[in-house]
Amino acid sequence: MKYFCVIGEPIEHSLSPVMHNAVFKKHKLECKYLAFRVKKEELENAVRGLKALGFKGFNVTIPHKEKIIEYIDELSKEARLIKAVNTVKIDKKLIGYNTDGIGAVKSLKSLGEVKDKKIIILGAGGAARAIAFSLALEKTREIIIANRTLEKAKKLAKEVEEKTGVKTHACSIDKKVLKEKIKESEILINCTSVGMYPDINSTLVEKDMLKSDLVVMDIVYNPLETRLLKEAKKAGAKIINGVEMLVYQGAEALKIWGVEPDIELMRQAVLKELKQ
Ligand SMILES: NC(=O)c1ccc[n+]([C@@H]2O[C@H](COP(=O)([O-])OP(=O)(O)OC[C@H]3O[C@@H](n4cnc5c(N)ncnc54)[C@H](OP(=O)(O)O)[C@@H]3O)[C@@H](O)[C@H]2O)c1
């Protein structure tokens, strides 16, 4: 039996076990995926323990994605740029990857190219950072990072541009500014927690800022259709919900561990769990 898991705190609501075990079960693989709550001060011991117990790989979630780097032997290019790891392969050495950004890129690519596109990202936290770097690695034309704390957006934009060469700048989330920036963009991605349960009526983007020739992705998956996505749909835009990023980042993790993903099965497993 090959063992995998996710470590984080809190961990009770993680959808990863359901998503990965669905693949293992359907394809009759001798694999099992577990979830462990790990406190910050126990992170190093937990990593040593997983290695000692013969785990083949694990996912890392909040609050350990940055700190885990101290205990990893090798980092992928994305993980090095993003400075965060969400997937680890144990193969004598510990190799750290970041599949969050590429998960978002892959879900966007299911609707069309991202190369040469002008993209506006709302937020400058962990998810925004992973997505901004992964989009830049796909050679997008330009990235705008809009954030409530403007300084954070400026810092991230500077880093993305310096390290990838893709034109990236920052702006505030002031309605007038956002309206103008969205008008110039082809893809909008909400990487803030605005609109997430229980604040389901919140949005940073008003109806009149949206347009039909826009792809709108919201990485929030609870609710499945956020207010932003509802309004984007009404405006005639193409929409992508947060489950897609979750599924594609999981699929990339499975590939790293040598397991063939099953996107539709993983999507259905997550959707079923969310409905319960
Ligand atoms: N679908 C997926 O697979 C997936 C993966 C990762 C995360 N997520 C979701 O993405 C969201 C962000 O996650 P994260 O890890 O990036 O969190 P994070 O690092 O804490 O960043 C949160 C971001 O949201 C902004 N924000 C929070 N409340 C706001 C408000 N009331 N008005 C304006 N901006 C606000 C913050 O702005 P400031 O900088 O000004 O504080 C920051 O940019 C969460 O809802 C998380 O569940 C989904």
Side-chain angles (χ1 to χ4, degrees):
M1 181 71 78
K2 290 179 180 166
Y3 286 100
F4 303 91
C5 69
V6 57
I7 57 170
E9 189 185 34
I11 203 65
E12 291 72 23
H13 300 293
S14 173
L15 294 161
S16 296
V18 158
M19 179 168 70
H20 293 307
N21 284 323
V23 179
F24 298 158
K25 197 171 164 201
K26 167 97 187 287
H27 297 281
K28 298 190 171 62
L29 302 174
E30 290 275 292
C31 300
K32 194 144 198 78
Y33 190 102
L34 305 159
F36 296 113
R37 187 162 74 98
V38 173
K39 290 183 188 305
K40 277 185 181 167
E41 59 275 20
E42 291 296 346
L43 183 60
E44 184 174 4
N45 284 336
V47 173
R48 281 175 196 264
L50 292 175
K51 194 177 174 191
L53 289 168
F55 274 65
K56 298 293 173 201
F58 59 96
N59 286 124
V60 185
T61 189
I62 287 167
H64 306 313
K65 287 185 186 184
E66 289 91 18
K67 181 81 177 162
I68 190 91
I69 288 179
E70 291 176 28
Y71 314 118
I72 300 286
D73 302 311
E74 247 174 56
L75 290 178
S76 72
K77 183 179 178 186
E78 282 87 358
R80 221 173 314 124
L81 280 172
I82 298 163
K83 295 189 191 129
V85 160
N86 79 328
T87 301
V88 179
K89 182 179 176 178
I90 309 180
D91 187 8
K92 289 185 194 121
K93 280 189 288 194
L94 296 173
I95 310 168
Y97 301 82
N98 192 307
T99 69
D100 281 331
I102 194 67
V105 166
K106 292 250 163 142
S107 29
L108 281 167
K109 278 187 166 178
S110 67
L111 284 189
E113 259 314 316
V114 295
K115 188 168 179 269
D116 293 330
K117 294 285 193 292
K118 182 162 177 173
I119 302 178
I120 178 160
I121 293 175
L122 309 179
R129 183 178 171 86
I131 293 174
F133 273 108
S134 295
L135 286 170
L137 292 176
E138 295 285 319
K139 300 270 173 277
T140 48
R141 185 170 86 249
E142 194 176 331
I143 299 173
I144 305 167
I145 296 169
N147 197 44
R148 176 177 62 181
T149 313
L150 184 57
E151 274 318 302
K152 262 172 76 180
K154 282 185 178 165
K155 194 165 169 255
L156 177 57
K158 188 167 177 271
E159 205 182 329
V160 171
E161 184 164 307
E162 276 176 5
K163 291 191 178 158
T164 67
V166 172
K167 191 173 165 196
T168 308
H169 58 267
C171 74
S172 74
I173 55 165
D174 170 81
K175 303 273 177 214
K176 251 177 150 175
V177 175
L178 268 190
K179 187 173 180 175
E180 210 42 51
K181 298 290 175 190
I182 293 170
K183 211 166 136 190
E184 300 165 5
S185 305
E186 292 148 287
I187 299 173
L188 164 79
I189 311 171
N190 176 44
C191 298
T192 72
S193 45
V194 176
M196 191 167 82
Y197 180 85
D199 291 319
I200 59 167
N201 286 319
S202 310
T203 179
L204 296 178
V205 179
E206 304 286 335
K207 254 189 246 163
D208 68 332
M209 300 175 174
L210 294 159
K211 51 179 187 166
S212 60
D213 58 346
L214 194 68
V215 172
V216 179
M217 176 156 104
D218 200 331
I219 72 163
V220 167
Y221 53 76
N222 184 17
L224 210 51
E225 201 163 276
T226 57
R227 184 173 158 200
L228 169 66
L229 290 186
K230 280 191 179 123
E231 286 173 1
K233 204 155 87 175
K234 274 189 211 150
K238 288 183 184 157
I239 61 163
I240 307 175
N241 67 42
V243 164
E244 295 303 298
M245 171 174 167
L246 186 75
V247 167
Y248 279 98
Q249 66 76 28
E252 291 303 305
L254 285 182
K255 284 188 208 165
I256 287 166
W257 299 328
V259 177
E260 185 67 34
D262 184 333
I263 298 285
E264 189 49 31
L265 182 71
M266 293 162 82
R267 183 184 288 124
Q268 291 312 323
V270 168
L271 290 174
K272 189 174 163 203
E273 188 73 5
L274 282 174
K275 273 182 199 140
Q276 280 170 6

